C-alpha cells in the first residue's frame, strides 16, 4: 500500500482547499457534499452539470467558485435563440483593410458558466461537445486550443419544465459529475435570509487559489496511487452496468476514466495519496448515474438511475 500521508507540498494544497471550502460554504449553506463534489471536479479538470428547480443556488455556487479562483471566468445565459457562434466566436469583417479577423467567443476562458444549458437548442448545446472532451474548438475549419484548465459549470432545470431541451447522451457523457442541490433545511434557509438581508456574500469572496496552483493541484491528483485491485473494482462496477437488464445503455470507457480520476481527487481532498474502495463507492453515484439509460420497463416501474447505481455498488464484491 502507498504512504498514508501526502507529501509536504500537497499538504499545502490541502490547506488551500480548506480555504476554498470555507469560501463556498459562506455562500451556499448546508450543502457541504455538493461543495466537495465541485472541488473534486476542479481537481479532476472535469465539468459539472447541476440540475434542480430554479432558485436553489446552482448559479450562485458556480459564481462563488469562479470568484474564489484567480482565473478568467465567463458566463453565458443559454436561451432558445442562442447560436453556436455566440459561444465559440466568429470572423468579423474589417472594412478598413478588407480582411476578416477572428473574434473569440466566451468559451475562451478557464471557467465557463453555461447557465440553463438545456434552454438552448441541441445545435447550440453541441457547440460545447468538442470543447469539453478535447479542450479545443474547431471554428470555420480552424482548430483553436482553449486555455488550460478548461472547466464547464453548467446548470439546467428539470427537463419537464417549460421550454427545455434534454441534453443528448453524448453530451451528458462529457460531464464528470452530475449534482442535484435540493432545497435547504429550515435552519440553513433562515441563515440564507439573514446573510443576504443587505448584500450578497458572493460579492465579498476573496481569491484563494491562482491559476498556477490549480494546475499544480491537478497534476498532484494524477500521482495519487490506485492499487490494481481498486482499479479492477472500478471496472467490475462499470461492466455490471453494461449487463444490467434494467439498463439500455451502461457506462462508457470515458466514464471509467472519469471514475478513476474522480476517485483520485476525492482521496487527495481527504488528505490521502492512495485511493480506497470507499472513495470509488463515494464517487460512483455522482460519476456514473447520469451516463445510464433506463429501459422503458424500468422507467415505468419508477426505478431511477441512482437506484440502479446504488444497487450495483451494494452487489459488486469489494476488494480487501
Amino acid at each position: 500500500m502507498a504512504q498514508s500521508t501526502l507529501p509536504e507540498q500537497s499538504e499545502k494544497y490541502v490547506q488551500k482547499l480548506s480555504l476554498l471550502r470555507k469560501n463556498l460554504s459562506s455562500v451556499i449553506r448546508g450543502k457541504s457534499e455538493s461543495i466537495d463534489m465541485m472541488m473534486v471536479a476542479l481537481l479532476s479538470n472535469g465539468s459539472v452539470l447541476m440540475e434542480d428547480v430554479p432558485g436553489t443556488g446552482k448559479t450562485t455556487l458556480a459564481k462563488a467558485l469562479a470568484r474564489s479562483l484567480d482565473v478568467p471566468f465567463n458566463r453565458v445565459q443559454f436561451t432558445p435563440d442562442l447560436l453556436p457562434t455566440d459561444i465559440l466566436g466568429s470572423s468579423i469583417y474589417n472594412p478598413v483593410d478588407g480582411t476578416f479577423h477572428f473574434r473569440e467567443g466566451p468559451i475562451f476562458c478557464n471557467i465557463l458558466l453555461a447557465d440553463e444549458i438545456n434552454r438552448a437548442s441541441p445545435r447550440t448545446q453541441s457547440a460545447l461537445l468538442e470543447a469539453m472532451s478535447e479542450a479545443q474548438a474547431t471554428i470555420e475549419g480552424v482548430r483553436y486550443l482553449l486555455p488550460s484548465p478548461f472547466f464547464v459549470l453548467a446548470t439546467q432545470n428539470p427537463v419537464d419544465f417549460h421550454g427545455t431541451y434534454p441534453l443528448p447522451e453524448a453530451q451528458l457523457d462529457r460531464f464528470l459529475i452530475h449534482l442535484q442541490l435540493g432545497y435547504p433545511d429550515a435552519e440553513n434557509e433562515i441563515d440564507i435570509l439573514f446573510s443576504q438581508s443587505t448584500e450578497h456574500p458572493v460579492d465579498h469572496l476573496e481569491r484563494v487559489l491562482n491559476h498556477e496552483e490549480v494546475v499544480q493541484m491537478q497534476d498532484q491528483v494524477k500521482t495519487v496511487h490506485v492499487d490494481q485491485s481498486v482499479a479492477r473494482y472500478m471496472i467490475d462496477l462499470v461492466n455490471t452496468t453494461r449487463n444490467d437488464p434494467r439498463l439500455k445503455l451502461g457506462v462508457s470507457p470515458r466514464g471509467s476514466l472519469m471514475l478513476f480520476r474522480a476517485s483520485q481527487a476525492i482521496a487527495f481532498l481527504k488528505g490521502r495519496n492512495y485511493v480506497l474502495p470507499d472513495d470509488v463507492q463515494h464517487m460512483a453515484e455522482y460519476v456514473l448515474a447520469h451516463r445510464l439509460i433506463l429501459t422503458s420497463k424500468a422507467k415505468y416501474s419508477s426505478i431511477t438511475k441512482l437506484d440502479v447505481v446504488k444497487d450495483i455498488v451494494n452487489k459488486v464484491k469489494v476488494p480487501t
Side-chain angles (χ1 to χ4, degrees), residues 262-273:
S263 299
Q264 289 178 304
I266 193 68
F268 184 89
L269 194 61
K270 292 178 178 179
R272 278 186 277 104
N273 70 342

Side-chain angles (χ1 to χ4, degrees), residues 82-90 103-106 124 127 139-140:
L82 194 72
L83 298 174
T85 52
D86 295 327
I87 302 171
L88 302 175
S90 60
R103 179 176 294 174
E104 294 181 347
T124 302
I139 305 164
E140 298 173 355

Side-chain angles (χ1 to χ4, degrees), residues 190-221:
I190 290 173
D191 288 343
I192 291 170
L193 296 179
F194 286 101
S195 68
Q196 299 183 26
S197 58
T198 56
E199 52 192 356
H200 205 293
V202 77
D203 297 329
H204 299 283
L205 292 180
E206 296 182 356
R207 311 284 187 187
V208 296
L209 284 170
N210 60 36
H211 178 273
E212 182 182 357
E213 289 171 329
V214 172
V215 172
Q216 288 176 349
M217 283 195 301
Q218 290 174 344
D219 289 339
Q220 287 283 325
V221 165

